[in-house]
Amino acid sequence: MTHDASVRKDSGGNAVPAGDRTFWGRVANWGPYQAFSALLTASPRRQFLILAAFPILWLLTQHLGPMLQMLRVSLTDAYPVAPGTQQEFTLENYMRFFGDRIFWMPFFRTLTFAAVFTFCTLIITYPVAYFLARHVSRRNQMLMLLLLLVPFWVGEIVRTYAIMILLGNTGAVNLVLKWLGLIDRPIPFMYTSFSMGVGIVYLTALYMLLPLYSALEKLPQSMNEAAADLGAGAWTRFRRISLPMTIEGISSGCTLVFLISTGFYATPVLLGGPSTTVFAETIAGFFHVAGDEWPTGAAFAVIMFTAALLITGVFQKLMNMLRKGDTK
């Protein structure tokens, strides 16, 4: 005769599962609780609202809220307001940007750098994502992804200092070049557009790699095999099959990298020089002085944010048009 340890008998001789003996088991079987749960999950819309309530609240309070506060500060004449002073709303902070060309150079330099570094990140990470998705067994793909994620477990500043050590006059790059006999004296990589580009590409590579890997991993291998059977070469298969079918991953990765690149501050400060000043440094300069300059910094931040969103919106529109053209 078998004995089930998970079942016991109550005072009336009825079998009671072991889960009902716990506190949460009794709560789950409590009549009012069951009625309340049934009321909350009576429709798919209610289930969605319950699941989405916390993420929506998080977005409103931690993301949208600070941006709206920044917008409000940008429309004031002073912040914080001194005691006994009346705060007034004005557009003068925005007019200061459009009226003084000295701010235009770092603004357009930031957008140019972001676009160039995004393209470089795409060119560098696409072969890596392609190799990982098409030439590595599924059993080892997660291990390879984990190895690629390891450097991103540390902060931005630590990784930036790693680039500084790598590209310094006594860094690994110059030492290897000197050991190979290619140079007699160290090449000044640091504090240039090159060093800043290497740092930003390194810091944003993961945000490009994952969308590309996801898109390439879904690409049916049979399509490339069929094209090869019909006589298509490797370049033709890539141009006519792989590239068009991964446009969505390219679009997502480029959008993420571009938006992140426009907001970098610490990396350009540590790796760049006087000729690579970006708009984030200009914005930070207003917040490092007296409070009456904070509204100007907030206005410049809104301008940068708006310009980045407009550019990515146009880019997404173009990519959607390209995607629809390839499907016809």
Side-chain angles (χ1 to χ4, degrees):
M1 184 175 181
T2 60
H3 175 70
D4 190 353
S6 64
V7 177
R8 69 175 181 84
K9 293 184 178 180
D10 58 10
S11 57
N14 299 318
V16 179
D20 291 351
R21 299 198 300 267
T22 64
F23 171 76
W24 292 113
R26 292 194 298 269
V27 171
N29 292 314
W30 186 38
Y33 175 81
Q34 292 182 344
F36 181 69
S37 299
L39 179 64
L40 290 178
T41 60
S43 65
R45 178 176 295 181
R46 292 182 183 178
Q47 296 175 14
F48 171 77
L49 290 176
I50 293 173
L51 293 174
F54 179 75
I56 292 175
L57 182 63
W58 177 269
L59 290 174
L60 291 176
T61 57
Q62 304 300 319
H63 294 274
L64 184 60
M67 288 189 292
L68 292 177
Q69 175 66 6
M70 184 73 72
L71 176 61
R72 191 189 72 83
V73 172
S74 69
L75 296 172
T76 60
D77 60 342
Y79 186 88
V81 183
T85 304
Q86 182 67 30
Q87 189 179 56
E88 297 181 0
F89 290 92
T90 178
L91 294 175
E92 185 178 350
N93 301 314
Y94 291 90
M95 297 307 299
R96 183 174 179 180
F97 171 79
F98 295 103
D100 196 341
R101 294 187 178 183
I102 194 175
F103 301 119
W104 295 5
M105 181 59 71
F107 176 77
F108 290 110
R109 182 188 294 127
T110 299
L111 297 178
T112 303
F113 279 167
V116 172
F117 296 155
T118 299
F119 179 75
C120 293
T121 307
L122 173 63
I123 297 301
I124 292 172
T125 57
Y126 198 102
V128 178
Y130 187 88
F131 174 80
L132 185 62
R134 312 305 297 176
H135 297 284
V136 177
S137 63
R138 291 185 177 273
R139 181 179 59 185
N140 296 326
Q141 283 181 3
M142 289 298 102
L143 177 60
M144 295 292 291
L145 282 175
L146 182 61
L147 293 176
L148 292 173
L149 287 171
V150 168
F152 294 85
W153 291 354
V154 298
E156 173 189 346
I157 302 297
V158 176
R159 284 178 286 160
T160 301
Y161 275 112
I163 297 297
M164 295 176 66
I165 295 174
L166 185 68
L167 298 179
N169 290 338
T170 57
V173 175
N174 275 309
L175 291 178
V176 170
L177 293 176
K178 190 173 183 179
W179 179 74
L180 293 174
L182 299 177
I183 58 174
D184 295 327
R185 60 182 64 183
I187 300 176
F189 291 116
M190 284 298 300
Y191 312 117
T192 62
S193 301
F194 175 78
S195 61
M196 188 177 70
V198 171
I200 291 180
V201 169
Y202 172 59
L203 291 174
T204 58
L206 181 66
Y207 302 101
M208 183 72 76
L209 177 66
L210 293 182
L212 291 177
Y213 165 77
S214 178
L216 288 165
E217 196 269 337
K218 298 175 183 177
L219 183 64
Q221 182 67 25
S222 58
M223 299 186 66
N224 281 309
E225 294 175 351
D229 293 338
L230 293 174
W235 170 248
T236 302
R237 295 197 302 270
F238 171 77
R239 183 173 56 88
R240 300 295 296 273
I241 298 176
S242 299
L243 187 61
M245 296 194 68
T246 55
I247 286 180
E248 186 174 353
I250 295 173
S251 176
S252 301
C254 289
T255 299
L256 285 173
V257 172
F258 180 82
L259 290 175
I260 294 173
S261 299
T262 57
F264 271 124
Y265 171 72
T267 300
V269 169
L270 294 174
L271 295 178
S275 62
T276 61
T277 302
V278 295
F279 203 56
E281 299 178 59
T282 303
I283 295 172
F286 291 108
F287 288 96
H288 290 165
V289 296
D292 57 351
E293 294 287 350
W294 286 19
T296 304
F300 282 26
V302 172
I303 291 172
M304 185 77 260
F305 178 73
T306 304
L309 286 184
L310 289 176
I311 292 174
T312 54
V314 173
F315 174 76
Q316 290 283 348
K317 185 68 174 179
L318 293 175
M319 296 300 286
N320 289 334
M321 294 172 58
L322 184 61
R323 188 185 305 118
K324 292 178 181 178
D326 290 330
T327 56
K328 292 183 180 180

